[in-house]
Amino acid sequence: MLALLEHAVLAVVFLMLLGVYLKAGTREMLRVVVIATKQIPGVSGLVASTLKSEAASFIRTTKLASSPSAGASSQVAAVTLPEQGIPKEELLRQMKEMQEKETDHMDGKVFAYAYTLTDDHFELQKDVYEMFSEKTGHSPEHESLVKTFQRSFLHENALNPMVYPSLRRMETEVVSMTSTMLHGDGSCAGFLTSGGTESVLMAVKTYRDRAQKLAPWITKPEIVVPTTHHPALDKAAHYFGLKVIHVPVTSDLVADVKAMEQALTPNTVLVSCSAPQFCHGIVDPVLEVSNMAAKHGLPCHVDACFGGFMLPWVEKLGYEVPVWDFRCPGVTSISADVHKYGYSVKGASVITYRSEEYRKFQIYSYGSWPGGLYGSPSMAGTRPGGNIAAAWAAMKSLGEQGYTQRARILMDITDRLKEGIAGIQKNPQLSKQGTAGIYGMMAAIPDTVIIEDFIKEFFSEVYKLQ
């Protein structure tokens, strides 16, 4: 009887494969066979291990082979922020050493990624960029160093790390320095993005794709967040087809976390909070929220775009800061902007995950393009090398001591502001002129759809050709 059943199953499988072959050809039939084979217990892990080994072997045949840990199969030591900033002369020496190993697109050996000539027109671009680029907010000396690194890599596109291995090294070191600053270990992995919004976008995309693989029955994924979370998350959900559940915030921490837990549904794929939230500069109860998420088997992203490069040093100065980073076991990813209190140029932000297994879901890959294999870790098709180099130089030049000194200055100013505000007897009145009046007027309208329509009209008018 059992033998007869086995023959029947084999016959059905054969007929199904024959049908696929007759309808779509040999390639599609083989694809179905591979997919089915991967479902056999143990096979999927074996395939993943083999692919990882093959990728490492391939990397050793490229320019990346000269980079530390290129193609390594085991965990390597994390790169940490230097305790004291590295002198300008040493950083410039390291930059020159890295650039000597780069591919010079002027040699005619690169057929993509760089399209700008090194001529008078390029010099004009650099001069104009200098006129309109935002200052880093640090000293003139730091400003000069960061801009030197940015201009030195202004041509390069980091989309392909094999073409520009120095940018690959800089990016991985920036991510590693940021991760360890946030109390992560050598298992953390991430990427640089163009800013805080893209970092949040990438986090949402990552957890959506993760849920699609691990919980494919979820067809309408949801995110649970406090109402004070930055709208970048709502933008990400809008782009990627998720629903955001906003939980009102009160002064009762326990009640707020409980309310977030009650908002969870079988469709929830992510919980997120802020450090600090942008509205009032208050750090959310990250430990409690992430513990709650972990209890339900959910990932927790912390939006620290505003405070990621400030809170570690504020805590070091002795200010009371609730635990919010990778010390919280339930936190699976953090976004932090280098172009804010990291004192680099716009735009540079880090999205870092607790492990490589989370980061893999951020990478987009496409294997059917006639032009070859395509993969990208970011939203954009262009990843400005100058911004990566500037972020690397900013962090290396300041080090822990430089960031701590700057945090002390800012917190002294903050304390004086708090004292001044506490001494004000009368509540400040709204200005009825300019944008303050507009926003005050719009905030009084109870229908958010009208407000959202107004915002769209506003931007449409602002960007009309005058």
Side-chain angles (χ1 to χ4, degrees), residues 16-243:
M16 289 176 61
L17 291 176
L18 180 62
V20 172
Y21 169 74
L22 293 174
K23 185 177 181 179
T26 304
R27 185 177 179 84
E28 181 63 16
M29 182 190 73
L30 291 175
R31 190 181 74 85
V32 172
V33 171
V34 170
I35 292 173
T37 304
K38 286 175 64 178
Q39 306 310 310
I40 300 174
V43 172
S44 181
L46 179 62
V47 170
S49 177
T50 302
L51 290 175
K52 188 179 184 71
S53 177
E54 287 298 314
S57 297
F58 172 73
I59 289 173
R60 286 193 285 269
T61 68
T62 69
K63 279 192 168 188
L64 294 177
S66 60
S67 301
S69 78
S73 58
S74 59
Q75 183 175 311
V76 296
V79 177
T80 62
L81 269 174
E83 186 174 344
Q84 294 187 337
I86 299 175
K88 174 182 179 180
E89 294 73 21
E90 173 58 20
L91 289 175
L92 292 173
R93 185 197 67 77
Q94 291 183 28
M95 180 184 73
K96 184 178 179 181
E97 185 180 279
M98 286 188 282
Q99 282 187 311
E100 288 174 351
K101 300 176 182 178
E102 292 286 83
T103 301
D104 188 348
H105 69 280
M106 294 299 290
D107 292 339
K109 296 180 180 179
V110 180
F111 298 98
Y113 308 112
Y115 303 92
T116 311
L117 294 175
T118 305
D119 55 9
D120 292 343
H121 180 252
F122 178 57
E123 293 300 319
L124 174 62
Q125 292 178 58
K126 291 197 293 187
D127 290 342
V128 173
Y129 184 84
E130 179 68 26
M131 291 171 61
F132 289 95
S133 61
E134 186 179 26
K135 304 300 181 184
T136 64
H138 207 276
S139 64
E141 295 78 16
H142 178 78
E143 183 84 20
S144 175
L145 173 67
V146 170
K147 290 295 178 64
T148 296
F149 270 77
Q150 186 187 39
R151 286 192 295 266
S152 298
F153 289 86
L154 209 55
H155 279 308
E156 286 80 354
N157 180 1
L159 185 64
N160 189 336
M162 292 180 291
V163 177
Y164 301 113
S166 61
L167 292 177
R168 175 262 178 196
R169 173 185 165 185
M170 288 179 177
E171 179 169 10
T172 54
E173 289 193 1
V174 167
V175 171
S176 184
M177 287 188 289
T178 304
S179 300
T180 53
M181 180 184 73
L182 304 179
H183 293 93
D185 58 23
S187 298
C188 290
F191 292 110
L192 270 167
T193 70
S194 62
T197 293
E198 189 184 0
S199 287
V200 173
L201 282 163
M202 290 293 89
V204 171
K205 183 265 184 195
T206 294
Y207 294 117
R208 182 203 65 178
D209 289 5
R210 179 176 180 268
Q212 286 175 344
K213 181 174 182 179
L214 302 182
W217 55 86
I218 298 178
T219 58
K220 297 180 180 180
E222 298 175 354
I223 310 171
V224 173
V225 299
T227 53
T228 49
H229 204 293
H230 195 279
L233 188 137
D234 295 82
K235 181 192 289 188
H238 175 74
Y239 287 166
F240 299 140
L242 294 89
K243 180 182 179 181

Side-chain angles (χ1 to χ4, degrees), residues 414-434:
T414 301
D415 290 339
R416 291 205 303 271
L417 281 171
K418 288 164 64 177
E419 291 172 2
I421 292 172
I424 296 175
Q425 299 299 316
K426 190 166 70 171
N427 292 329
Q429 298 298 312
L430 178 67
S431 169
K432 298 300 180 182
Q433 303 298 322

Side-chain angles (χ1 to χ4, degrees), residues 278-407:
F278 206 87
C279 303
H280 314 104
I282 297 172
V283 177
D284 286 337
V286 177
L287 178 61
E288 291 78 6
V289 170
S290 62
N291 284 346
M292 178 272 292
K295 184 175 73 173
H296 292 274
L298 294 168
C300 178
H301 175 73
V302 178
D303 176 13
C305 293
F306 191 57
F309 278 81
M310 176 59 70
L311 291 175
W313 320 117
V314 171
E315 183 179 0
K316 190 174 181 180
L317 290 172
Y319 288 86
E320 185 176 347
V321 178
V323 180
W324 62 274
D325 53 20
F326 283 122
R327 287 172 292 182
C328 303
V331 169
T332 54
S333 60
I334 301 174
S335 51
D337 289 358
V338 196
H339 65 215
K340 288 190 173 78
Y341 294 113
Y343 304 107
S344 187
V345 298
K346 301 283 186 185
S349 176
V350 172
I351 171 68
T352 178
Y353 302 92
R354 186 173 287 277
S355 73
E356 182 183 305
E357 292 307 310
Y358 287 104
R359 182 180 68 168
K360 285 180 181 177
F361 290 104
Q362 179 177 321
I363 302 169
Y364 174 79
S365 59
Y366 185 72
S368 303
W369 186 38
L373 301 179
Y374 178 84
S376 174
S378 65
M379 290 282 291
T382 299
R383 306 187 71 222
N387 293 2
I388 294 174
W392 184 84
M395 294 179 70
K396 291 275 189 175
S397 65
L398 290 175
E400 292 187 12
Q401 188 178 75
Y403 281 124
T404 304
Q405 289 175 347
R406 179 56 55 166

